[in-house]
Amino acid sequence: MEALRGMSIAIDPQSRRLRLDPRDPVFTDDPYPAYAAIRAAAPAFFWEDYGFWCFAAHDDVSALLREKRFGRQILHLMSRERLGWPAPKRHLAPFDALERHSLLEMEPPGHTRLKNLINRAFVSRQAEKLAPRIASLARERIDALRGDGAAELIEAFATPIPVAIITDLLGVPRAMGPQLLNWSHRMVAMYQFGVTRDVEIAAAAAAQRFADFMRGYAKARRADLRDDLISQLLVAESEEGRLSEEELVTTCILLLNAGHEATVHAIGNAVRTILDRNLDPRALFADATTTAATVEELLRIDPPLHLFTRYALEDVEAYGVSLRQGDKIGLLLGAANRDPARFPDPDAFEPVRDPNPHVTFGAGLHFCVGAPLARLEMTIALPILFERLPGLRLAERPRCRDAYHFRGLEALRVAWD
């Protein structure tokens, strides 16, 4: 074992094997030194703690996100017995039922059909309709706390805006926001490393209640169609029966979860980056072009999602690694975003970085459908935050959540003049 800034990590360049606990607090707080060491020793490596091969180089990750010989599903090609998987856990049935119909887990032709329906609904929501709403929410949240001189921004700013926007977009009452957050957090905990039975039971219960709510809400909405995403999806469902009730419920839950979970932490990580590095907000957000470039660099340098997994759909050789059909691989988005072979001086914040081909939103078939909305929210909310709270500064050193591979802050305590 070698010490890397207090981290317990072992890298064997010859066998390309890594031992590193994803829940090591030193690693979760700042994974980038480990990524650099891993990438230098073995950009393709077997992460023993996870039990699968991972890729950390930008070109490899970018290509494997697009590679059609890999997918998010494998059970359509191989049985659980052949894969050596245990039988599904009965207590996880409600959670697994949602996973089966999730856009994130589907492959063509089902993925193509469902994504086209979602894209059609999203396209009908023009950005200019959302921009004033985002700006109003940002000002409202800041005005509510300006006189306090200090606040915890994850709860007070980074969370309420994406939650309100995605509930408005879908057509769910904002008053449901806290309950939706509770269900979402319990479900998302299933994607962490080292999931316990208690986490599984909580996620299954949340999935069941979330599905029951969405099913009942969609049923009521059928008789009262409006200008919202649920109504758009209900209309799409009625056209040639292309959207089942299960797909409708799962899609709405996925959009509610993904529509706030990643954006909350993208905003929190962005504010931390600016304050931690003593960057000048006036320069970063001087005009629309500079603001857009700043947001892209903020997304690159500290993304909210760090690991994306796929399955080999056939026997394949991938960047020096021989994989058999059914093997899982991990793509390290956070490591790829700081690859010096693709980004000169990758640890430096360069808002004028051009090109900036980060993989924060993935690529290929599973490129994040909500990426334009996340970018819009950050582009509008961040300048307003720094403009209305002059002298914004960290009140204490932020710490990241114990939630690898989702990277976000436990809290972001700040003060201002």
Side-chain angles (χ1 to χ4, degrees):
M1 290 287 185
E2 66 171 288
L4 185 64
R5 293 179 59 180
M7 192 184 309
S8 183
I9 179 173
I11 312 169
D12 184 345
Q14 298 302 317
S15 64
R16 297 187 293 174
R17 300 184 84 83
L18 169 74
R19 288 300 304 272
L20 172 61
D21 182 357
R23 302 191 70 172
D24 182 330
V26 181
F27 174 66
T28 55
D29 196 52
D30 184 8
Y32 299 106
Y35 288 159
I38 294 166
R39 197 174 43 240
F45 62 95
F46 190 85
W47 196 335
E48 294 190 5
D49 302 78
Y50 275 112
F52 51 74
W53 284 90
C54 294
F55 299 81
H58 178 276
D59 287 355
D60 297 356
V61 169
S62 181
L64 287 167
L65 284 167
R66 297 172 170 84
E67 173 59 66
K68 294 182 179 179
R69 291 176 295 175
F70 291 85
R72 290 287 293 176
Q73 281 186 342
I74 191 59
L75 289 176
H76 61 305
L77 298 177
M78 301 175 68
S79 67
R80 300 183 74 92
E81 291 76 18
R82 186 178 167 198
L83 288 162
W85 292 3
K89 297 177 180 179
R90 289 186 178 182
H91 63 274
L92 273 177
F95 182 86
D96 291 340
L98 292 180
E99 288 281 285
R100 277 195 298 274
H101 299 286
S102 172
L103 179 71
L104 188 60
E105 307 302 328
M106 296 176 72
E107 292 297 310
H111 178 277
T112 305
R113 175 179 58 83
L114 191 54
K115 191 165 186 177
N116 285 342
L117 292 173
I118 295 170
N119 280 336
R120 184 197 310 171
F122 262 113
V123 166
S124 70
R125 321 247 97 50
Q126 298 299 325
E128 53 266 27
K129 293 182 181 179
L130 292 173
R133 210 177 307 175
I134 296 167
S136 176
L137 279 166
R139 296 189 187 100
E140 175 186 309
R141 298 306 308 169
I142 295 169
D143 290 347
L145 51 85
R146 284 175 79 176
D148 298 339
E152 195 286 288
L153 284 188
I154 299 299
E155 182 178 353
F157 185 77
T159 298
I161 296 171
V163 171
I165 290 298
I166 197 63
T167 53
D168 286 357
L169 190 62
L170 274 159
V172 176
R174 283 191 189 180
M176 282 295 298
Q179 181 60 77
L180 299 177
L181 275 174
N182 178 275
W183 288 332
S184 177
H185 290 330
R186 286 194 281 162
M187 290 176 65
V188 170
M190 280 292 293
Y191 305 114
Q192 297 171 199
F193 180 80
V195 171
T196 65
R197 183 180 175 86
D198 286 346
V199 169
E200 292 176 343
I201 291 172
Q208 184 66 64
R209 294 188 182 112
F210 211 154
D212 289 344
F213 165 74
M214 286 307 313
R215 192 171 286 110
Y217 196 77
K219 183 177 181 180
R221 181 52 57 85
R222 281 189 177 93
D224 184 23
L225 296 176
R226 304 176 188 177
D227 184 28
D228 55 47
L229 188 53
I230 289 179
S231 297
Q232 292 287 326
L233 291 173
L234 285 167
V235 171
E237 181 189 11
S238 68
E239 296 174 4
E240 302 174 24
R242 290 184 297 170
L243 191 64
S244 69
E245 181 178 75
E246 290 78 11
E247 289 172 333
L248 173 70
V249 168
T250 300
T251 298
C252 289
I253 290 175
L254 173 65
L255 292 173
L256 280 164
N257 286 352
H260 81 270
E261 192 77 31
T263 308
V264 167
H265 298 301
I267 292 173
N269 294 351
V271 175
R272 178 203 185 160
T273 296
I274 293 170
L275 298 181
D276 211 24
R277 294 172 179 250
N278 295 312
L279 303 175
D280 180 5
R282 291 170 298 181
L284 297 179
F285 305 118
D287 53 48
T289 300
T290 305
T291 297
T294 293
V295 166
E296 292 307 305
E297 182 69 345
L298 289 167
L299 288 166
R300 178 196 72 85
I301 207 162
D302 201 11
L305 178 64
H306 277 226
L307 177 67
F308 189 76
T309 57
R310 304 191 80 191
Y311 292 100
L313 303 180
E314 59 185 67
D315 294 351
V316 60
E317 182 83 12
Y319 305 97
V321 178
S322 295
L323 298 163
R324 301 298 300 271
Q325 184 185 41
D327 285 349
K328 179 187 283 190
I329 62 169
L331 307 179
L332 272 62
L333 309 183
N337 278 357
R338 295 210 192 183
D339 185 349
R342 193 64 187 85
F343 302 98
D345 198 4
D347 295 326
F349 187 87
E350 299 288 351
V352 294
R353 195 180 291 276
D354 184 25
N356 190 352
H358 63 76
V359 290
T360 294
F361 294 117
L365 184 69
H366 288 285
F367 181 80
C368 177
V369 70
L373 179 58
R375 285 179 162 123
L376 183 67
E377 290 175 346
M378 294 179 70
T379 298
I380 294 172
L382 291 174
I384 291 174
L385 172 69
F386 285 96
E387 177 188 1
R388 295 174 86 86
L389 295 180
L392 191 66
R393 59 191 179 275
L394 293 174
E396 63 179 48
R397 183 179 178 275
R399 293 198 64 82
C400 285
R401 306 178 306 149
D402 175 18
Y404 188 81
H405 51 277
F406 292 108
R407 178 167 168 78
L409 300 175
E410 288 181 352
L412 181 56
R413 304 191 189 283
V414 297
W416 53 88
D417 299 332

